[in-house]
Amino acid sequence: MKRFFDISPFDTANPSSYCARMATPPPSGSSEDPRPPQAEIGEVFTRIAPDLELVEAALRDTIDSKTALIGELGSHLLSSGGKRLRPALVLLAAELCGYTGPRRIELAAALELLHSATLMHDDIVDLAVMRRGRPSANAIWGNRRAVLAGDFFYARASSIIVADGNLEIVESYARTIRLMAEGELLQLERSFDVDVTEAHYYDVIERKSATLLSNCCEIGALLGGVTRGERNRISEYGRQLGLAFQLRDDCLDYEAELAELGKQPFADLREGKMTLPLILTLKRCRVAEREHVASALKSAARLAEEHGGTAPLEAPELELGTVAELVTRHRGLIDTLHRAEDHVAKALEAIAPFSDGPAKRALRAAAEFAVSRDR
């Protein structure tokens, strides 16, 4: 699979390296689009790099604690990279809505902290041992310490939100946490279930994935003091972007190698997460093929219970290659990607009425990047 990039859009150790490389035009005589999505997103992060560095400084301040372990866990988390998409959305949505003051830095840091806390708790629930190509916090420090550290990051994020003093922002943030928790529980309820519907799947990802990106954009809009209609539009942009990102993630679970994805492939299938590529395949395949997938999922459920939550990748009875071939043959991947592209189009439609400018162009690039990325 073609690699679009080797490090995340904002490399916390060297913020200029990615941006400079991604902004480099293709070689002379190249037939490539001179501004492919990965190049445009690099330019976006180049432009907002100074603000993101302020966000990074705020994040470092928030993990300061008298408890040494908090600092160790926090440093591990913050140094593991990540796209920093959520703080970028806060910054860009605020700019689009006319606000460039200091409050957006602290609030962007709070949303990234919230995201980091959810990842720590997700890894505990999933018993994951890898995160962004490195050992997860729970793999290093154990579940008990990791869950408490996640609680600490939730608390610090909440403190920042409350200190800002805007009740609408507090309400939006609290609603987001509630919906994300509901999404996780909805997904767990139907693990390894071949009868999961598209409606249930969308119900899960609306809560798990779309709500946080929507919240980032809504908070930016609230900082700008725009009309409710404009606020709804920018929030809808974030929602559609979140759906597109999740659909692309679901495809990557089947497509990407460990080095690209930062975690073992087929993780969703081995954890019993019924994602859209497989749901579409189960709707289209023959009875014998459906029974084969059901048998593989039954084996995965048994092995997951025996191995603490995730069936081992090398287990032959899973026949992962056969399941992946069925997903490809029945257009599970390509049609999921087409759905993601539809959500990108809706995201762009949502912000179309806003005035053109750097922030709007950046949000457009972020949406287009959602379906072109390979991790």
Side-chain angles (χ1 to χ4, degrees), residues 291-307:
E291 290 175 351
H292 181 90
V293 174
S295 176
L297 286 169
K298 185 176 180 180
S299 296
R302 174 179 56 80
L303 290 166
E305 186 173 352
E306 292 173 359
H307 290 81

Side-chain angles (χ1 to χ4, degrees), residues 103 107 159-170:
R103 290 169 61 201
L107 292 172
S159 296
I160 295 169
I161 295 291
V162 171
D164 181 74
N166 184 312
L167 184 57
E168 286 185 297
I169 289 177
V170 173

Side-chain angles (χ1 to χ4, degrees), residues 228-239:
R228 180 167 291 277
E230 290 170 320
R231 171 178 153 190
N232 289 343
R233 280 190 167 277
I234 191 65
S235 179
E236 177 64 9
Y237 163 88
R239 172 178 169 269

Side-chain angles (χ1 to χ4, degrees), residues 84-94 213 216-217 220 237 241 363 366:
R84 296 296 188 259
L85 173 66
R86 288 142 196 90
L89 288 177
V90 176
L91 298 173
L92 292 170
L213 297 194
C216 291
C217 293
Y237 163 88
L241 179 64
L363 291 169

